[in-house]
Amino acid sequence: MHEHSSPLAAEGRAVRLDSFGGPEVLDVRETLALQAGPGQVRVRVTAAGLNPMDWFMTADADTAARFGLSLPCGFGTDYAGVVDQVGKGVTAFALGDRVFGGALSRAVADIVVIDSAGETAANEVHHTPDGVDDRTAATLTIAGRTAAAALAVVRPGPGDTVLIGGAAGGVGVFAVQLARIAGARVIGTGSADSADFLSALGAEPVTYGDGLADRVRALAPGGVTAAIDLHGTDTVHTARDLGVPDSRICTIAGQVDGVQAANGANADPGTLEEIARLVAAGELRVPIAATFPIEQIRHAVELQAGRHVKGKLVIDL
Ligand SMILES: NC(=O)c1ccc[n+]([C@@H]2O[C@H](COP(=O)([O-])OP(=O)(O)OC[C@H]3O[C@@H](n4cnc5c(N)ncnc54)[C@H](OP(=O)(O)O)[C@@H]3O)[C@@H](O)[C@H]2O)c1
């Protein structure tokens, strides 16, 4: 119904891999023209947010195959931009709409094509509300939805004290603020260097590592009632030591028998729209630690793989 094409050239740059591996296999190439087919929209990408999943998926051929990736392969999943071509049958989006979403392992590119009815981070598009800038919109899909899925397991509310492990990372910044919005007290683990950052998000900082349970006891003599582990399994075990029942512990980055693993793919429908609404309303903010041009993709991925980024990294396009 709204089949249109802008005069923008569809060719553009994209990160391409000719083999799976570390940051050294990430190259920037000119790509062939992409066209929106029936039911699809073409997006001129302005920003792409990075997640550990991006380089985890493309690190080796077996892992890539599990995610359905084959060579030559693109890179990155979270994107934001502007619709610049609308395929036949698409009514929900029009030329010029600001959008964000997921494009599995092909988002760090000038142009992506998305199924407008897609509902997973592999292939989805949402309207970007006024009041949400593109860089921020490009951070929401995976981390926001994963944090919401983790919160849905432990359901924090007023009266709860929630221990969040790995609270300063990409998922952590959402989890801390969503738990605070839900009315809970939040204790967040980080390095000593992250203490001020965590306080500014609304968490009470505590350093991870040996003695964590004692430090949490000192901060919360009344006890911890729920826990979310966003880094590995240390926070799960600490929560058990502190007497938190398994039913109120969740992990996203490890496996512990008896403890539910949350996955962003299982977040409630409407989660992303609600998170974007909170950002637009000024109730939730996404700290962006650094932005990079596409030519610096290797450097950006190396930085994130160091696992001490506070908040999110974004590639500008
Ligand atoms: N299941 C899912 O659906 C799903 C979705 C997204 C992500 N994940 C996984 O969840 C994990 C977190 O993702 P992310 O995007 O938040 O990663 P991230 O942004 O790379 O996390 C970086 C953060 O990890 C913290 N950290 C480093 N060592 C730590 C330790 N020993 N204990 C606690 N925190 C530590 C760092 O804090 P300091 O700088 O203060 O050390 C830093 O703020 C990753 O393993 C990712 O693959 C799973």
Side-chain angles (χ1 to χ4, degrees), residues 88-143:
K88 277 201 178 80
V90 175
T91 55
F93 297 91
L95 204 62
D97 283 356
R98 296 181 60 235
V99 293
F100 74 101
L104 189 76
S105 212
R106 61 187 196 282
V108 187
D110 283 322
I111 301 284
V112 294
V113 169
I114 308 286
D115 291 335
S116 66
E119 290 178 349
T120 71
N123 208 346
E124 68 180 311
V125 55
H126 306 269
H127 290 283
T128 307
D130 290 344
V132 181
D133 64 82
D134 282 9
R135 282 175 171 164
T136 300
T139 67
L140 304 181
T141 302
I142 289 176

Side-chain angles (χ1 to χ4, degrees), residues 229-312:
D229 197 325
L230 304 176
H231 182 265
T233 57
D234 287 355
T235 300
V236 172
H237 296 304
T238 299
R240 281 179 164 172
D241 288 351
L242 292 167
V244 182
D246 280 0
S247 61
R248 297 213 74 201
I249 305 176
C250 148
T251 172
I252 68 160
Q255 287 186 342
V256 178
D257 281 350
V259 168
Q260 191 168 335
N263 190 314
N266 300 330
D268 292 338
T271 292
L272 275 186
E273 287 79 2
E274 173 60 9
I275 288 175
R277 188 195 65 75
L278 289 167
V279 174
E283 293 172 43
L284 191 152
R285 68 187 173 86
V286 185
I288 295 176
T291 61
F292 300 90
I294 189 171
E295 292 76 17
Q296 290 180 23
I297 184 68
R298 292 183 184 186
H299 176 60
V301 169
E302 278 163 8
L303 180 62
Q304 193 178 56
R307 307 311 302 272
H308 293 290
V309 170
K310 300 183 206 341
K312 299 291 298 180

Side-chain angles (χ1 to χ4, degrees), residues 39-66:
Q40 295 183 322
V41 293
R42 190 176 72 187
V43 177
R44 168 73 182 85
V45 177
T46 54
L50 296 185
N51 291 282
M53 170 183 134
D54 300 332
W55 36 269
F56 176 76
M57 286 190 301
T58 53
D60 62 78
D62 288 343
T63 309
R66 283 199 278 121

